[in-house]
Amino acid sequence: EVQLVESGGGLVQAGGSLRLSCVASGFTFDAYAIGWFRQAPGKEREGVSCISIYEGDTYYADSVKGRFTISSDNAKNTVYLQMNSLKPDDTADYYCAALNGFIVQAMCVEVIGDYWGQGTQVTVSS
């Protein structure tokens, strides 16, 4: 059974940091790209950052460049999203997804995934 389990969300003040984790199971981890996506109330889901596990290629949305860092721990089948300098506009439900292959930009820009997690909520107060 494929599972993607997110954790690490919470309430933080503007300027603060959070680290999200996505633990994957049930598929060949390094054959996939893993992405972080977010959806704010009333808005469409958008790609935040994606990583090719095998190649290590990464993609970041312009809105998070320089503030967020995506990384993977292959031994733990886990992808992290370190979020620094958080802003109220970062408030959303954050989801991780897995897509077979290494096309990180397309995954993030087109918001596509073969498998999706249930999400974790991030709230940034001003």
Side-chain angles (χ1 to χ4, degrees):
E1 179 188 5
V2 172
Q3 280 194 314
L4 294 168
V5 181
E6 303 98 332
S7 63
L11 172 64
V12 65
Q13 288 188 329
S17 298
L18 285 173
R19 188 178 78 158
L20 305 183
S21 299
C22 172
V23 180
S25 61
F27 59 92
T28 304
F29 189 63
D30 63 3
Y32 280 72
I34 305 292
W36 283 99
F37 302 81
R38 67 186 181 187
Q39 188 165 19
K43 294 187 177 180
E44 292 187 352
R45 190 170 296 188
E46 62 176 355
V48 175
S49 182
C50 297
I51 185 169
S52 162
I53 299 302
Y54 184 78
E55 297 182 333
D57 292 343
T58 59
Y59 172 87
Y60 293 93
D62 287 344
S63 58
V64 305
K65 280 181 182 176
R67 300 189 298 124
F68 291 9
T69 303
I70 193 168
S71 63
S72 68
D73 183 335
N74 293 9
K76 296 182 179 180
N77 280 17
T78 300
V79 171
Y80 302 99
L81 185 68
Q82 178 66 43
M83 306 188 296
N84 298 328
S85 303
L86 283 161
K87 305 174 181 179
D89 284 349
D90 295 317
T91 295
D93 292 325
Y94 283 70
Y95 301 87
C96 68
L99 178 68
N100 187 248
F102 313 133
I103 44 175
V104 292
Q105 180 167 338
M107 182 184 189
C108 261
V109 172
E110 298 177 27
V111 189
I112 51 176
D114 295 322
Y115 309 110
W116 291 85
Q118 293 300 306
T120 185
Q121 189 173 56
V122 172
T123 303
V124 184
S125 63
S126 57

